[in-house]
Amino acid sequence: MPSSLCGITVEPALVKAVLPGGDSLTTATVKPNGGTVRCNLSVDGKDALSLAQAWWSQEQTTATVSQGYSHTDDGTLSEDERFVHTGRAGVGRTVSSCEVSEHPEQDLYIVVETRDTGVDDPEAIEKLLVAYTKAVEGSPACR
């Protein structure tokens, strides 16, 4: 398990907990549009996990942003309303100080999605989502 996923440092055990077993792990960074960076992980050549950073307008909330992603319906919303997660996916909003000039008046959201791997572990998804969100907040993505 790598300690860095597409340039973001994260505890390997948190990632391993949401991946299926296998022999090889590969990562790829994808930028599908001007406001999203996605880190895709594959195990033995099959898509297993996607960790995305996506800018959304400040009028949005974690609950409304999560509606744009699979497997977050009826997710658990954190007390501070920054995170919503299920056993397969989650969405988290970075702190308000996470601002870059390329995306004025937008908030950076983190999305964690498993890919049809049979993983369904709400606690593991929540731990990875919170840790990855905090790691992104401390990275150049928020400066």
PDB file of all heavy atoms in Angstrom, residues 35-37 51-66 69 81-84 90-94 98 106-112 129 132-133 136 142:
ATOM      1  N   GLY A  35     -12.509  21.424 -12.952  1.00  0.00           N
ATOM      2  CA  GLY A  35     -12.663  21.554 -11.519  1.00  0.00           C
ATOM      3  C   GLY A  35     -12.551  20.260 -10.746  1.00  0.00           C
ATOM      4  O   GLY A  35     -12.806  20.223  -9.553  1.00  0.00           O
ATOM      5  N   THR A  36     -12.167  19.185 -11.405  1.00  0.00           N
ATOM      6  CA  THR A  36     -12.121  17.879 -10.736  1.00  0.00           C
ATOM      7  C   THR A  36     -10.787  17.183 -10.977  1.00  0.00           C
ATOM      8  O   THR A  36     -10.274  17.191 -12.089  1.00  0.00           O
ATOM      9  CB  THR A  36     -13.269  16.966 -11.249  1.00  0.00           C
ATOM     10  OG1 THR A  36     -14.514  17.615 -11.019  1.00  0.00           O
ATOM     11  CG2 THR A  36     -13.272  15.622 -10.552  1.00  0.00           C
ATOM     12  N   VAL A  37     -10.253  16.592  -9.925  1.00  0.00           N
ATOM     13  CA  VAL A  37      -9.083  15.722 -10.016  1.00  0.00           C
ATOM     14  C   VAL A  37      -9.490  14.406  -9.364  1.00  0.00           C
ATOM     15  O   VAL A  37      -9.954  14.392  -8.225  1.00  0.00           O
ATOM     16  CB  VAL A  37      -7.860  16.309  -9.279  1.00  0.00           C
ATOM     17  CG1 VAL A  37      -6.699  15.334  -9.322  1.00  0.00           C
ATOM     18  CG2 VAL A  37      -7.471  17.648  -9.861  1.00  0.00           C
ATOM     19  N   LEU A  51     -10.953   8.370  -5.532  1.00  0.00           N
ATOM     20  CA  LEU A  51     -10.866   9.470  -4.574  1.00  0.00           C
ATOM     21  C   LEU A  51     -10.820  10.751  -5.406  1.00  0.00           C
ATOM     22  O   LEU A  51      -9.891  10.942  -6.184  1.00  0.00           O
ATOM     23  CB  LEU A  51      -9.598   9.355  -3.731  1.00  0.00           C
ATOM     24  CG  LEU A  51      -9.444   8.069  -2.922  1.00  0.00           C
ATOM     25  CD1 LEU A  51      -8.019   7.919  -2.419  1.00  0.00           C
ATOM     26  CD2 LEU A  51     -10.417   8.064  -1.762  1.00  0.00           C
ATOM     27  N   ALA A  52     -11.841  11.597  -5.271  1.00  0.00           N
ATOM     28  CA  ALA A  52     -11.924  12.783  -6.123  1.00  0.00           C
ATOM     29  C   ALA A  52     -11.905  14.069  -5.308  1.00  0.00           C
ATOM     30  O   ALA A  52     -12.350  14.106  -4.161  1.00  0.00           O
ATOM     31  CB  ALA A  52     -13.195  12.736  -6.967  1.00  0.00           C
ATOM     32  N   GLN A  53     -11.371  15.120  -5.948  1.00  0.00           N
ATOM     33  CA  GLN A  53     -11.447  16.475  -5.424  1.00  0.00           C
ATOM     34  C   GLN A  53     -12.255  17.253  -6.461  1.00  0.00           C
ATOM     35  O   GLN A  53     -11.872  17.301  -7.626  1.00  0.00           O
ATOM     36  CB  GLN A  53     -10.058  17.090  -5.310  1.00  0.00           C
ATOM     37  CG  GLN A  53      -9.108  16.318  -4.430  1.00  0.00           C
ATOM     38  CD  GLN A  53      -7.676  16.813  -4.568  1.00  0.00           C
ATOM     39  OE1 GLN A  53      -7.442  18.000  -4.733  1.00  0.00           O
ATOM     40  NE2 GLN A  53      -6.728  15.900  -4.526  1.00  0.00           N
ATOM     41  N   ALA A  54     -13.368  17.851  -6.042  1.00  0.00           N
ATOM     42  CA  ALA A  54     -14.243  18.544  -6.993  1.00  0.00           C
ATOM     43  C   ALA A  54     -14.706  19.872  -6.399  1.00  0.00           C
ATOM     44  O   ALA A  54     -15.149  19.939  -5.258  1.00  0.00           O
ATOM     45  CB  ALA A  54     -15.456  17.671  -7.317  1.00  0.00           C
ATOM     46  N   TRP A  55     -14.587  20.925  -7.210  1.00  0.00           N
ATOM     47  CA  TRP A  55     -15.029  22.264  -6.783  1.00  0.00           C
ATOM     48  C   TRP A  55     -16.507  22.441  -7.118  1.00  0.00           C
ATOM     49  O   TRP A  55     -16.934  22.156  -8.228  1.00  0.00           O
ATOM     50  CB  TRP A  55     -14.201  23.332  -7.489  1.00  0.00           C
ATOM     51  CG  TRP A  55     -12.781  23.350  -7.023  1.00  0.00           C
ATOM     52  CD1 TRP A  55     -11.718  22.704  -7.590  1.00  0.00           C
ATOM     53  CD2 TRP A  55     -12.267  24.028  -5.882  1.00  0.00           C
ATOM     54  NE1 TRP A  55     -10.576  22.939  -6.852  1.00  0.00           N
ATOM     55  CE2 TRP A  55     -10.888  23.751  -5.806  1.00  0.00           C
ATOM     56  CE3 TRP A  55     -12.846  24.844  -4.906  1.00  0.00           C
ATOM     57  CZ2 TRP A  55     -10.074  24.265  -4.809  1.00  0.00           C
ATOM     58  CZ3 TRP A  55     -12.030  25.360  -3.904  1.00  0.00           C
ATOM     59  CH2 TRP A  55     -10.657  25.075  -3.856  1.00  0.00           C
ATOM     60  N   TRP A  56     -17.282  22.922  -6.135  1.00  0.00           N
ATOM     61  CA  TRP A  56     -18.715  23.182  -6.297  1.00  0.00           C
ATOM     62  C   TRP A  56     -18.997  24.589  -5.774  1.00  0.00           C
ATOM     63  O   TRP A  56     -18.310  25.077  -4.883  1.00  0.00           O
ATOM     64  CB  TRP A  56     -19.537  22.178  -5.486  1.00  0.00           C
ATOM     65  CG  TRP A  56     -19.557  20.793  -6.056  1.00  0.00           C
ATOM     66  CD1 TRP A  56     -18.530  19.879  -6.047  1.00  0.00           C
ATOM     67  CD2 TRP A  56     -20.640  20.146  -6.704  1.00  0.00           C
ATOM     68  NE1 TRP A  56     -18.923  18.718  -6.646  1.00  0.00           N
ATOM     69  CE2 TRP A  56     -20.217  18.843  -7.053  1.00  0.00           C
ATOM     70  CE3 TRP A  56     -21.945  20.527  -7.011  1.00  0.00           C
ATOM     71  CZ2 TRP A  56     -21.044  17.935  -7.702  1.00  0.00           C
ATOM     72  CZ3 TRP A  56     -22.780  19.613  -7.653  1.00  0.00           C
ATOM     73  CH2 TRP A  56     -22.326  18.343  -7.997  1.00  0.00           C
ATOM     74  N   SER A  57     -20.047  25.226  -6.290  1.00  0.00           N
ATOM     75  CA  SER A  57     -20.383  26.586  -5.854  1.00  0.00           C
ATOM     76  C   SER A  57     -20.701  26.602  -4.362  1.00  0.00           C
ATOM     77  O   SER A  57     -21.188  25.621  -3.802  1.00  0.00           O
ATOM     78  CB  SER A  57     -21.562  27.141  -6.653  1.00  0.00           C
ATOM     79  OG  SER A  57     -22.755  26.491  -6.273  1.00  0.00           O
ATOM     80  N   GLN A  58     -20.426  27.743  -3.730  1.00  0.00           N
ATOM     81  CA  GLN A  58     -20.605  27.861  -2.284  1.00  0.00           C
ATOM     82  C   GLN A  58     -22.065  27.748  -1.849  1.00  0.00           C
ATOM     83  O   GLN A  58     -22.337  27.573  -0.679  1.00  0.00           O
ATOM     84  CB  GLN A  58     -20.006  29.173  -1.777  1.00  0.00           C
ATOM     85  CG  GLN A  58     -18.483  29.146  -1.795  1.00  0.00           C
ATOM     86  CD  GLN A  58     -17.868  30.457  -1.330  1.00  0.00           C
ATOM     87  OE1 GLN A  58     -18.470  31.512  -1.395  1.00  0.00           O
ATOM     88  NE2 GLN A  58     -16.624  30.378  -0.888  1.00  0.00           N
ATOM     89  N   GLU A  59     -23.014  27.837  -2.772  1.00  0.00           N
ATOM     90  CA  GLU A  59     -24.419  27.697  -2.402  1.00  0.00           C
ATOM     91  C   GLU A  59     -24.777  26.238  -2.086  1.00  0.00           C
ATOM     92  O   GLU A  59     -25.829  25.956  -1.539  1.00  0.00           O
ATOM     93  CB  GLU A  59     -25.351  28.174  -3.531  1.00  0.00           C
ATOM     94  CG  GLU A  59     -25.299  29.666  -3.790  1.00  0.00           C
ATOM     95  CD  GLU A  59     -24.170  30.050  -4.741  1.00  0.00           C
ATOM     96  OE1 GLU A  59     -23.985  29.394  -5.783  1.00  0.00           O
ATOM     97  OE2 GLU A  59     -23.457  31.012  -4.423  1.00  0.00           O
ATOM     98  N   GLN A  60     -23.916  25.315  -2.461  1.00  0.00           N
ATOM     99  CA  GLN A  60     -24.187  23.888  -2.260  1.00  0.00           C
ATOM    100  C   GLN A  60     -23.899  23.482  -0.817  1.00  0.00           C
ATOM    101  O   GLN A  60     -23.198  24.178  -0.092  1.00  0.00           O
ATOM    102  CB  GLN A  60     -23.330  23.042  -3.211  1.00  0.00           C
ATOM    103  CG  GLN A  60     -23.551  23.328  -4.672  1.00  0.00           C
ATOM    104  CD  GLN A  60     -24.958  22.999  -5.133  1.00  0.00           C
ATOM    105  OE1 GLN A  60     -25.548  22.023  -4.702  1.00  0.00           O
ATOM    106  NE2 GLN A  60     -25.511  23.838  -6.004  1.00  0.00           N
ATOM    107  N   THR A  61     -24.437  22.334  -0.434  1.00  0.00           N
ATOM    108  CA  THR A  61     -24.143  21.738   0.868  1.00  0.00           C
ATOM    109  C   THR A  61     -23.617  20.328   0.619  1.00  0.00           C
ATOM    110  O   THR A  61     -23.755  19.797  -0.490  1.00  0.00           O
ATOM    111  CB  THR A  61     -25.412  21.627   1.742  1.00  0.00           C
ATOM    112  OG1 THR A  61     -26.316  20.701   1.111  1.00  0.00           O
ATOM    113  CG2 THR A  61     -26.083  22.984   1.934  1.00  0.00           C
ATOM    114  N   THR A  62     -23.048  19.733   1.638  1.00  0.00           N
ATOM    115  CA  THR A  62     -22.562  18.359   1.490  1.00  0.00           C
ATOM    116  C   THR A  62     -23.706  17.442   1.062  1.00  0.00           C
ATOM    117  O   THR A  62     -23.537  16.583   0.203  1.00  0.00           O
ATOM    118  CB  THR A  62     -21.937  17.869   2.810  1.00  0.00           C
ATOM    119  OG1 THR A  62     -20.892  18.768   3.170  1.00  0.00           O
ATOM    120  CG2 THR A  62     -21.369  16.472   2.670  1.00  0.00           C
ATOM    121  N   ALA A  63     -24.890  17.655   1.633  1.00  0.00           N
ATOM    122  CA  ALA A  63     -26.042  16.813   1.299  1.00  0.00           C
ATOM    123  C   ALA A  63     -26.429  16.963  -0.181  1.00  0.00           C
ATOM    124  O   ALA A  63     -26.726  15.966  -0.846  1.00  0.00           O
ATOM    125  CB  ALA A  63     -27.225  17.151   2.194  1.00  0.00           C
ATOM    126  N   THR A  64     -26.410  18.194  -0.711  1.00  0.00           N
ATOM    127  CA  THR A  64     -26.797  18.360  -2.121  1.00  0.00           C
ATOM    128  C   THR A  64     -25.705  17.876  -3.060  1.00  0.00           C
ATOM    129  O   THR A  64     -25.994  17.274  -4.093  1.00  0.00           O
ATOM    130  CB  THR A  64     -27.172  19.829  -2.454  1.00  0.00           C
ATOM    131  OG1 THR A  64     -26.074  20.681  -2.151  1.00  0.00           O
ATOM    132  CG2 THR A  64     -28.401  20.274  -1.690  1.00  0.00           C
ATOM    133  N   VAL A  65     -24.447  18.101  -2.712  1.00  0.00           N
ATOM    134  CA  VAL A  65     -23.343  17.621  -3.554  1.00  0.00           C
ATOM    135  C   VAL A  65     -23.354  16.095  -3.614  1.00  0.00           C
ATOM    136  O   VAL A  65     -23.144  15.506  -4.682  1.00  0.00           O
ATOM    137  CB  VAL A  65     -21.985  18.146  -3.036  1.00  0.00           C
ATOM    138  CG1 VAL A  65     -20.823  17.451  -3.740  1.00  0.00           C
ATOM    139  CG2 VAL A  65     -21.889  19.656  -3.246  1.00  0.00           C
ATOM    140  N   SER A  66     -23.639  15.450  -2.506  1.00  0.00           N
ATOM    141  CA  SER A  66     -23.614  13.980  -2.483  1.00  0.00           C
ATOM    142  C   SER A  66     -24.643  13.377  -3.434  1.00  0.00           C
ATOM    143  O   SER A  66     -24.467  12.258  -3.901  1.00  0.00           O
ATOM    144  CB  SER A  66     -23.823  13.449  -1.063  1.00  0.00           C
ATOM    145  OG  SER A  66     -25.151  13.663  -0.628  1.00  0.00           O
ATOM    146  N   TYR A  69     -23.403  11.865  -6.762  1.00  0.00           N
ATOM    147  CA  TYR A  69     -22.505  10.710  -6.761  1.00  0.00           C
ATOM    148  C   TYR A  69     -23.249   9.431  -6.388  1.00  0.00           C
ATOM    149  O   TYR A  69     -24.178   9.451  -5.584  1.00  0.00           O
ATOM    150  CB  TYR A  69     -21.331  10.951  -5.806  1.00  0.00           C
ATOM    151  CG  TYR A  69     -20.495  12.127  -6.235  1.00  0.00           C
ATOM    152  CD1 TYR A  69     -20.721  13.384  -5.711  1.00  0.00           C
ATOM    153  CD2 TYR A  69     -19.533  11.990  -7.228  1.00  0.00           C
ATOM    154  CE1 TYR A  69     -19.975  14.489  -6.146  1.00  0.00           C
ATOM    155  CE2 TYR A  69     -18.789  13.073  -7.660  1.00  0.00           C
ATOM    156  CZ  TYR A  69     -19.020  14.319  -7.119  1.00  0.00           C
ATOM    157  OH  TYR A  69     -18.296  15.395  -7.553  1.00  0.00           O
ATOM    158  N   GLU A  81     -22.223  18.559   9.581  1.00  0.00           N
ATOM    159  CA  GLU A  81     -22.751  18.564   8.209  1.00  0.00           C
ATOM    160  C   GLU A  81     -21.688  18.710   7.127  1.00  0.00           C
ATOM    161  O   GLU A  81     -21.976  19.072   6.000  1.00  0.00           O
ATOM    162  CB  GLU A  81     -23.848  19.629   8.047  1.00  0.00           C
ATOM    163  CG  GLU A  81     -25.030  19.376   8.960  1.00  0.00           C
ATOM    164  CD  GLU A  81     -26.203  20.307   8.719  1.00  0.00           C
ATOM    165  OE1 GLU A  81     -26.101  21.207   7.877  1.00  0.00           O
ATOM    166  OE2 GLU A  81     -27.228  20.107   9.388  1.00  0.00           O
ATOM    167  N   ARG A  82     -20.422  18.389   7.473  1.00  0.00           N
ATOM    168  CA  ARG A  82     -19.332  18.436   6.477  1.00  0.00           C
ATOM    169  C   ARG A  82     -19.183  17.127   5.726  1.00  0.00           C
ATOM    170  O   ARG A  82     -18.589  17.109   4.644  1.00  0.00           O
ATOM    171  CB  ARG A  82     -17.994  18.758   7.146  1.00  0.00           C
ATOM    172  CG  ARG A  82     -17.818  20.227   7.479  1.00  0.00           C
ATOM    173  CD  ARG A  82     -16.446  20.507   8.063  1.00  0.00           C
ATOM    174  NE  ARG A  82     -15.388  20.079   7.169  1.00  0.00           N
ATOM    175  CZ  ARG A  82     -14.145  19.817   7.558  1.00  0.00           C
ATOM    176  NH1 ARG A  82     -13.782  19.920   8.812  1.00  0.00           N
ATOM    177  NH2 ARG A  82     -13.228  19.423   6.687  1.00  0.00           N
ATOM    178  N   PHE A  83     -19.672  16.015   6.308  1.00  0.00           N
ATOM    179  CA  PHE A  83     -19.454  14.695   5.722  1.00  0.00           C
ATOM    180  C   PHE A  83     -20.760  13.922   5.629  1.00  0.00           C
ATOM    181  O   PHE A  83     -21.601  14.000   6.516  1.00  0.00           O
ATOM    182  CB  PHE A  83     -18.468  13.876   6.575  1.00  0.00           C
ATOM    183  CG  PHE A  83     -17.134  14.540   6.756  1.00  0.00           C
ATOM    184  CD1 PHE A  83     -16.860  15.299   7.871  1.00  0.00           C
ATOM    185  CD2 PHE A  83     -16.148  14.404   5.785  1.00  0.00           C
ATOM    186  CE1 PHE A  83     -15.632  15.927   8.040  1.00  0.00           C
ATOM    187  CE2 PHE A  83     -14.915  15.018   5.940  1.00  0.00           C
ATOM    188  CZ  PHE A  83     -14.654  15.788   7.061  1.00  0.00           C
ATOM    189  N   VAL A  84     -20.904  13.155   4.549  1.00  0.00           N
ATOM    190  CA  VAL A  84     -22.002  12.198   4.430  1.00  0.00           C
ATOM    191  C   VAL A  84     -21.394  10.915   3.860  1.00  0.00           C
ATOM    192  O   VAL A  84     -20.535  10.972   2.981  1.00  0.00           O
ATOM    193  CB  VAL A  84     -23.162  12.737   3.552  1.00  0.00           C
ATOM    194  CG1 VAL A  84     -22.743  12.956   2.117  1.00  0.00           C
ATOM    195  CG2 VAL A  84     -24.373  11.810   3.617  1.00  0.00           C
ATOM    196  N   GLY A  90     -18.696   8.220   0.030  1.00  0.00           N
ATOM    197  CA  GLY A  90     -18.871   9.366   0.924  1.00  0.00           C
ATOM    198  C   GLY A  90     -18.435  10.650   0.263  1.00  0.00           C
ATOM    199  O   GLY A  90     -17.676  10.649  -0.707  1.00  0.00           O
ATOM    200  N   VAL A  91     -18.957  11.768   0.801  1.00  0.00           N
ATOM    201  CA  VAL A  91     -18.615  13.105   0.313  1.00  0.00           C
ATOM    202  C   VAL A  91     -18.273  13.954   1.533  1.00  0.00           C
ATOM    203  O   VAL A  91     -18.972  13.910   2.546  1.00  0.00           O
ATOM    204  CB  VAL A  91     -19.801  13.737  -0.461  1.00  0.00           C
ATOM    205  CG1 VAL A  91     -19.498  15.180  -0.840  1.00  0.00           C
ATOM    206  CG2 VAL A  91     -20.137  12.925  -1.695  1.00  0.00           C
ATOM    207  N   GLY A  92     -17.188  14.735   1.412  1.00  0.00           N
ATOM    208  CA  GLY A  92     -16.787  15.627   2.498  1.00  0.00           C
ATOM    209  C   GLY A  92     -16.446  17.003   1.969  1.00  0.00           C
ATOM    210  O   GLY A  92     -15.892  17.138   0.878  1.00  0.00           O
ATOM    211  N   ARG A  93     -16.798  18.037   2.747  1.00  0.00           N
ATOM    212  CA  ARG A  93     -16.467  19.416   2.367  1.00  0.00           C
ATOM    213  C   ARG A  93     -15.214  19.852   3.120  1.00  0.00           C
ATOM    214  O   ARG A  93     -15.110  19.661   4.325  1.00  0.00           O
ATOM    215  CB  ARG A  93     -17.640  20.353   2.713  1.00  0.00           C
ATOM    216  CG  ARG A  93     -17.442  21.772   2.186  1.00  0.00           C
ATOM    217  CD  ARG A  93     -18.617  22.691   2.536  1.00  0.00           C
ATOM    218  NE  ARG A  93     -18.569  23.005   3.960  1.00  0.00           N
ATOM    219  CZ  ARG A  93     -19.543  22.770   4.820  1.00  0.00           C
ATOM    220  NH1 ARG A  93     -20.657  22.188   4.445  1.00  0.00           N
ATOM    221  NH2 ARG A  93     -19.405  23.110   6.096  1.00  0.00           N
ATOM    222  N   THR A  94     -14.283  20.454   2.412  1.00  0.00           N
ATOM    223  CA  THR A  94     -13.071  20.962   3.058  1.00  0.00           C
ATOM    224  C   THR A  94     -13.422  22.217   3.865  1.00  0.00           C
ATOM    225  O   THR A  94     -14.490  22.811   3.681  1.00  0.00           O
ATOM    226  CB  THR A  94     -11.972  21.299   2.021  1.00  0.00           C
ATOM    227  OG1 THR A  94     -12.480  22.280   1.119  1.00  0.00           O
ATOM    228  CG2 THR A  94     -11.531  20.058   1.267  1.00  0.00           C
ATOM    229  N   CYS A  98      -9.993  26.699   2.690  1.00  0.00           N
ATOM    230  CA  CYS A  98      -9.467  26.046   1.489  1.00  0.00           C
ATOM    231  C   CYS A  98      -9.953  26.837   0.278  1.00  0.00           C
ATOM    232  O   CYS A  98     -11.078  26.663  -0.186  1.00  0.00           O
ATOM    233  CB  CYS A  98      -9.952  24.596   1.419  1.00  0.00           C
ATOM    234  SG  CYS A  98      -9.374  23.714  -0.046  1.00  0.00           S
ATOM    235  N   GLN A 106     -16.060  29.070  -4.572  1.00  0.00           N
ATOM    236  CA  GLN A 106     -16.376  27.653  -4.647  1.00  0.00           C
ATOM    237  C   GLN A 106     -15.752  26.944  -3.452  1.00  0.00           C
ATOM    238  O   GLN A 106     -14.763  27.404  -2.889  1.00  0.00           O
ATOM    239  CB  GLN A 106     -15.841  27.034  -5.948  1.00  0.00           C
ATOM    240  CG  GLN A 106     -16.579  27.502  -7.183  1.00  0.00           C
ATOM    241  CD  GLN A 106     -16.113  26.754  -8.426  1.00  0.00           C
ATOM    242  OE1 GLN A 106     -14.927  26.568  -8.646  1.00  0.00           O
ATOM    243  NE2 GLN A 106     -17.074  26.329  -9.228  1.00  0.00           N
ATOM    244  N   ASP A 107     -16.370  25.829  -3.070  1.00  0.00           N
ATOM    245  CA  ASP A 107     -15.853  24.982  -1.995  1.00  0.00           C
ATOM    246  C   ASP A 107     -15.321  23.695  -2.616  1.00  0.00           C
ATOM    247  O   ASP A 107     -15.901  23.180  -3.577  1.00  0.00           O
ATOM    248  CB  ASP A 107     -16.962  24.631  -0.993  1.00  0.00           C
ATOM    249  CG  ASP A 107     -17.393  25.829  -0.162  1.00  0.00           C
ATOM    250  OD1 ASP A 107     -16.535  26.664   0.185  1.00  0.00           O
ATOM    251  OD2 ASP A 107     -18.600  25.914   0.146  1.00  0.00           O
ATOM    252  N   LEU A 108     -14.237  23.178  -2.036  1.00  0.00           N
ATOM    253  CA  LEU A 108     -13.656  21.930  -2.515  1.00  0.00           C
ATOM    254  C   LEU A 108     -14.263  20.763  -1.742  1.00  0.00           C
ATOM    255  O   LEU A 108     -14.235  20.744  -0.507  1.00  0.00           O
ATOM    256  CB  LEU A 108     -12.139  21.940  -2.337  1.00  0.00           C
ATOM    257  CG  LEU A 108     -11.391  20.712  -2.861  1.00  0.00           C
ATOM    258  CD1 LEU A 108     -11.615  20.514  -4.361  1.00  0.00           C
ATOM    259  CD2 LEU A 108      -9.898  20.838  -2.569  1.00  0.00           C
ATOM    260  N   TYR A 109     -14.825  19.823  -2.480  1.00  0.00           N
ATOM    261  CA  TYR A 109     -15.411  18.621  -1.898  1.00  0.00           C
ATOM    262  C   TYR A 109     -14.550  17.417  -2.247  1.00  0.00           C
ATOM    263  O   TYR A 109     -13.958  17.353  -3.315  1.00  0.00           O
ATOM    264  CB  TYR A 109     -16.838  18.395  -2.422  1.00  0.00           C
ATOM    265  CG  TYR A 109     -17.838  19.327  -1.799  1.00  0.00           C
ATOM    266  CD1 TYR A 109     -18.024  20.604  -2.290  1.00  0.00           C
ATOM    267  CD2 TYR A 109     -18.573  18.932  -0.681  1.00  0.00           C
ATOM    268  CE1 TYR A 109     -18.937  21.479  -1.701  1.00  0.00           C
ATOM    269  CE2 TYR A 109     -19.480  19.791  -0.087  1.00  0.00           C
ATOM    270  CZ  TYR A 109     -19.660  21.064  -0.598  1.00  0.00           C
ATOM    271  OH  TYR A 109     -20.546  21.914  -0.009  1.00  0.00           O
ATOM    272  N   ILE A 110     -14.532  16.467  -1.321  1.00  0.00           N
ATOM    273  CA  ILE A 110     -13.805  15.213  -1.502  1.00  0.00           C
ATOM    274  C   ILE A 110     -14.834  14.103  -1.667  1.00  0.00           C
ATOM    275  O   ILE A 110     -15.815  14.052  -0.925  1.00  0.00           O
ATOM    276  CB  ILE A 110     -12.918  14.914  -0.273  1.00  0.00           C
ATOM    277  CG1 ILE A 110     -11.957  16.082  -0.006  1.00  0.00           C
ATOM    278  CG2 ILE A 110     -12.179  13.587  -0.454  1.00  0.00           C
ATOM    279  CD1 ILE A 110     -11.094  16.495  -1.174  1.00  0.00           C
ATOM    280  N   VAL A 111     -14.612  13.233  -2.631  1.00  0.00           N
ATOM    281  CA  VAL A 111     -15.539  12.133  -2.876  1.00  0.00           C
ATOM    282  C   VAL A 111     -14.755  10.821  -2.833  1.00  0.00           C
ATOM    283  O   VAL A 111     -13.729  10.682  -3.505  1.00  0.00           O
ATOM    284  CB  VAL A 111     -16.233  12.282  -4.254  1.00  0.00           C
ATOM    285  CG1 VAL A 111     -17.264  11.168  -4.446  1.00  0.00           C
ATOM    286  CG2 VAL A 111     -16.867  13.648  -4.397  1.00  0.00           C
ATOM    287  N   VAL A 112     -15.231   9.879  -2.051  1.00  0.00           N
ATOM    288  CA  VAL A 112     -14.650   8.536  -1.956  1.00  0.00           C
ATOM    289  C   VAL A 112     -15.714   7.571  -2.462  1.00  0.00           C
ATOM    290  O   VAL A 112     -16.825   7.558  -1.943  1.00  0.00           O
ATOM    291  CB  VAL A 112     -14.280   8.196  -0.491  1.00  0.00           C
ATOM    292  CG1 VAL A 112     -13.847   6.746  -0.377  1.00  0.00           C
ATOM    293  CG2 VAL A 112     -13.203   9.125   0.024  1.00  0.00           C
ATOM    294  N   LEU A 129     -12.617   8.865   4.376  1.00  0.00           N
ATOM    295  CA  LEU A 129     -13.138  10.151   3.893  1.00  0.00           C
ATOM    296  C   LEU A 129     -12.641  11.310   4.749  1.00  0.00           C
ATOM    297  O   LEU A 129     -12.142  12.308   4.224  1.00  0.00           O
ATOM    298  CB  LEU A 129     -14.677  10.113   3.896  1.00  0.00           C
ATOM    299  CG  LEU A 129     -15.389  11.409   3.520  1.00  0.00           C
ATOM    300  CD1 LEU A 129     -15.083  11.801   2.082  1.00  0.00           C
ATOM    301  CD2 LEU A 129     -16.894  11.261   3.725  1.00  0.00           C
ATOM    302  N   TYR A 132      -8.723  11.631   4.354  1.00  0.00           N
ATOM    303  CA  TYR A 132      -8.337  12.129   3.035  1.00  0.00           C
ATOM    304  C   TYR A 132      -8.717  13.602   2.893  1.00  0.00           C
ATOM    305  O   TYR A 132      -7.959  14.399   2.351  1.00  0.00           O
ATOM    306  CB  TYR A 132      -8.997  11.278   1.939  1.00  0.00           C
ATOM    307  CG  TYR A 132      -8.382  11.462   0.573  1.00  0.00           C
ATOM    308  CD1 TYR A 132      -7.143  10.922   0.260  1.00  0.00           C
ATOM    309  CD2 TYR A 132      -9.047  12.192  -0.418  1.00  0.00           C
ATOM    310  CE1 TYR A 132      -6.576  11.086  -0.995  1.00  0.00           C
ATOM    311  CE2 TYR A 132      -8.482  12.366  -1.676  1.00  0.00           C
ATOM    312  CZ  TYR A 132      -7.250  11.808  -1.958  1.00  0.00           C
ATOM    313  OH  TYR A 132      -6.688  11.980  -3.201  1.00  0.00           O
ATOM    314  N   THR A 133      -9.881  13.983   3.411  1.00  0.00           N
ATOM    315  CA  THR A 133     -10.305  15.388   3.360  1.00  0.00           C
ATOM    316  C   THR A 133      -9.304  16.257   4.108  1.00  0.00           C
ATOM    317  O   THR A 133      -8.868  17.294   3.599  1.00  0.00           O
ATOM    318  CB  THR A 133     -11.718  15.559   3.951  1.00  0.00           C
ATOM    319  OG1 THR A 133     -12.639  14.757   3.193  1.00  0.00           O
ATOM    320  CG2 THR A 133     -12.178  17.006   3.906  1.00  0.00           C
ATOM    321  N   VAL A 136      -6.085  16.614   2.127  1.00  0.00           N
ATOM    322  CA  VAL A 136      -6.229  17.555   1.009  1.00  0.00           C
ATOM    323  C   VAL A 136      -6.192  18.999   1.535  1.00  0.00           C
ATOM    324  O   VAL A 136      -5.579  19.875   0.927  1.00  0.00           O
ATOM    325  CB  VAL A 136      -7.525  17.291   0.215  1.00  0.00           C
ATOM    326  CG1 VAL A 136      -7.806  18.430  -0.776  1.00  0.00           C
ATOM    327  CG2 VAL A 136      -7.414  15.958  -0.546  1.00  0.00           C
ATOM    328  N   CYS A 142      -5.348  23.258  -1.622  1.00  0.00           N
ATOM    329  CA  CYS A 142      -6.072  24.260  -0.817  1.00  0.00           C
ATOM    330  C   CYS A 142      -5.288  25.552  -0.620  1.00  0.00           C
ATOM    331  O   CYS A 142      -5.563  26.308   0.305  1.00  0.00           O
ATOM    332  CB  CYS A 142      -6.413  23.664   0.549  1.00  0.00           C
ATOM    333  SG  CYS A 142      -7.895  22.650   0.532  1.00  0.00           S
TER     334      CYS A 142
END
